[in-house]
Amino acid sequence: MGEKILVIGAGAIGAFYGGVLAKAGCEVSAVARSDFDAVTAGGYRIESHLGDLSWRPAQVVRSAADYKGPADFLFVCVKLTAQTDPVALMRPAVGKDTAIVFVANGIDIDAPVAAAFPDNELVSGVAYAAVSREGGVIKHHSQYTRLVLGRYPGGLSARATRLAELIKQGGSSSVATEDIVGARWQKCAWNTVLNPVSALGGGLGTQDMLASDATTGFVHEAIEEFAAIAAAAGHPIPADTADKLIAGTRKLPNYVSSMGQDQLAGRPMETEALLGNVVRIARRHGVPATRLETLYALLKMAEQRSAS
């Protein structure tokens, strides 16, 4: 077997890339909490245009402390809600030579992990992969699928480059970059705007969110606000980002985004990582963000309603 990899947060994205890495010949294990019995019995079933990515973990464990390691890579793919502490989840499995691969949505999210494990390499990951878990099946919806990897806070590394090679060997697309923080801002131009819109609309699909001139105009203007904040923070994104993201979204099936799925299921949402942090950065730099401020306030109201 190849590299030993432990997936922490084997939801839709984590299980999908676990299947890709297993196909590449890696020894892939998984932390499975709520679905421990099902994964132990049948592994992960993944439907994808890339082929059969279904896989059985080498080890299925209830927590990272139960993993018989050491792992070469911890592939940490968790939703950053108020209830999630990624450092606590991964700490028991972090060995002396373990590289931490942190694949999560949001802006300003890597620093706490880097501070907790200063002697371990942190590879930050930005995933473009529309996947969802429907019952016991993970469905891969997007033709365009890419995992962007880079050493945090910047620069190329042998570990990031090696993992990108493994992803490609497993049949998917990946690239190593010197500027992973910039790549994260580029990805979140979609997530910061369309994820909250999907959730606030009661689980709107991608086509529903762009179904009228009014909604498309709002999305375009909100992405322009995000671009102004990115520039002020020192991570400018291309001027045509809003146009390209809207055009690309129109090519997707009527897919409900991750935050929309969480809202429908009554699960906690990634409000602060995806939107709250961006709003706070805008305030620090004095950048007007009326639409993003409004989305943030409405999401906080929705969270209060769900908690009551």
Side-chain angles (χ1 to χ4, degrees):
M1 298 294 289
E3 281 85 345
K4 293 184 177 181
I5 297 173
L6 175 62
V7 179
I8 298 176
I13 289 284
F16 171 77
Y17 280 110
V20 172
L21 290 164
K23 190 174 180 181
C26 298
E27 182 186 297
V28 187
S29 299
V31 175
R33 288 172 289 176
S34 61
D35 56 354
F36 177 86
D37 292 336
V39 174
T40 299
Y44 293 98
R45 182 182 166 196
I46 303 174
E47 295 180 359
S48 171
H49 64 88
L50 298 176
D52 185 10
L53 294 176
S54 301
W55 61 291
R56 284 179 174 269
Q59 298 178 48
V60 183
V61 295
R62 294 187 186 274
S63 74
D66 298 327
Y67 175 69
K68 296 178 176 61
D72 298 305
F73 294 96
L74 289 189
F75 197 93
V76 184
C77 192
V78 295
K79 289 190 174 182
L80 299 179
T81 68
Q83 293 76 22
T84 304
D85 183 348
V87 169
L89 288 174
M90 68 179 80
R91 187 180 293 280
V94 177
K96 180 171 67 73
D97 298 317
T98 301
I100 299 167
V101 185
F102 192 45
V103 181
N105 285 328
I107 294 293
D108 235 7
I109 61 173
D110 295 291
V113 179
F117 306 104
D119 298 325
N120 294 84
E121 181 170 339
L122 175 57
V123 177
S124 185
V126 177
Y128 294 85
V131 293
S132 62
R133 173 170 276 178
E134 300 175 20
V137 180
I138 292 162
K139 295 189 177 182
H140 178 211
H141 303 275
S142 56
Q143 292 293 321
Y144 178 79
T145 303
R146 173 169 286 196
L147 181 61
V148 183
L149 298 163
R151 181 176 60 191
Y152 179 83
L156 290 175
S157 73
R159 288 287 189 90
T161 301
R162 174 57 179 162
L163 190 62
E165 290 173 352
L166 289 169
I167 294 291
K168 287 185 278 190
Q169 288 175 22
S172 191
S173 173
S174 185
V175 63
T177 179
E178 294 185 357
D179 182 18
I180 191 60
V181 176
R184 184 169 290 286
W185 275 94
Q186 179 72 40
K187 165 70 185 303
C188 283
W190 196 99
N191 275 330
T192 293
V193 175
L194 285 145
N195 255 308
V197 171
S198 177
L200 290 168
L204 286 175
T206 47
Q207 300 304 311
D208 299 326
M209 290 188 282
L210 302 175
S212 71
D213 290 343
T215 56
T216 302
F218 177 87
V219 167
H220 193 283
E221 290 160 0
I223 294 172
E224 292 287 339
E225 285 185 357
F226 179 91
I229 299 164
H235 302 284
I237 61 179
D240 62 350
T241 293
D243 291 332
K244 285 190 172 179
L245 289 180
I246 288 171
T249 302
R250 291 192 188 282
K251 296 177 183 178
L252 291 171
N254 199 29
Y255 163 74
V256 178
S257 73
S258 60
M259 187 177 276
Q261 293 174 38
D262 290 338
Q263 194 278 336
L264 286 171
R267 296 187 295 257
M269 297 184 290
E270 299 173 287
T271 301
E272 301 304 329
L274 282 177
L275 185 53
N277 288 349
V278 176
V279 166
R280 285 183 281 274
I281 292 169
R283 293 170 183 168
R284 287 202 300 268
H285 289 280
V287 179
T290 304
R291 292 161 189 82
L292 296 183
E293 289 268 13
T294 301
L295 287 175
Y296 180 54
L298 291 171
L299 273 182
K300 298 300 287 184
M301 293 176 195
E303 287 183 329
Q304 288 178 322
R305 181 183 61 201
S306 297
S308 62

